[in-house]
Amino acid sequence: MPLKSLTYAWLSLILLSGASAAIAVMVCQNAVPTMTGAATLLVAWMKMRVILSRYLGLWRAPSWRAGFNGVLGGYCLLLLGLYVIPVLAS
């Protein structure tokens, strides 16, 4: 893997971690919990994609990457549903 690719992956993970910190600040300022929870899950999913694709080398195996993205994307949607359903039910 070229060093340039690792550098971009590392920088994107730093930016996504900064986004996580910004979401945490929003939670402390009494933002809408459902929106901040969904944003946290979205940032975690984006970080997972960077890690799987660049650090674990799935960019070289597109079919495996698509499979992992599909399964973990479905899992994130399931978690989002489980998080939002109690809020909508109340």
Side-chain angles (χ1 to χ4, degrees):
M1 175 183 309
L3 183 60
K4 189 179 202 181
S5 178
L6 278 179
T7 303
Y8 287 138
W10 183 73
L11 287 173
S12 64
L13 288 174
I14 287 177
L15 289 173
L16 290 169
S17 295
S20 295
I23 293 169
V25 168
M26 290 171 41
V27 169
C28 293
Q29 295 176 349
N30 297 324
V32 179
T34 307
M35 297 304 287
T36 54
T40 302
L41 189 59
L42 178 66
V43 168
W45 183 61
M46 290 190 303
K47 287 170 79 172
M48 176 247 352
R49 290 192 58 179
V50 170
I51 291 168
L52 283 174
S53 182
R54 293 296 163 191
Y55 286 112
L56 296 181
L58 288 181
W59 61 275
R60 289 179 272 175
S63 60
W64 280 92
R65 185 178 60 193
F68 271 101
N69 284 339
V71 169
L72 292 173
Y75 182 67
C76 285
L77 286 175
L78 173 70
L79 290 176
L80 180 63
L82 291 173
Y83 181 73
V84 171
I85 287 172
V87 173
L88 296 176
S90 62

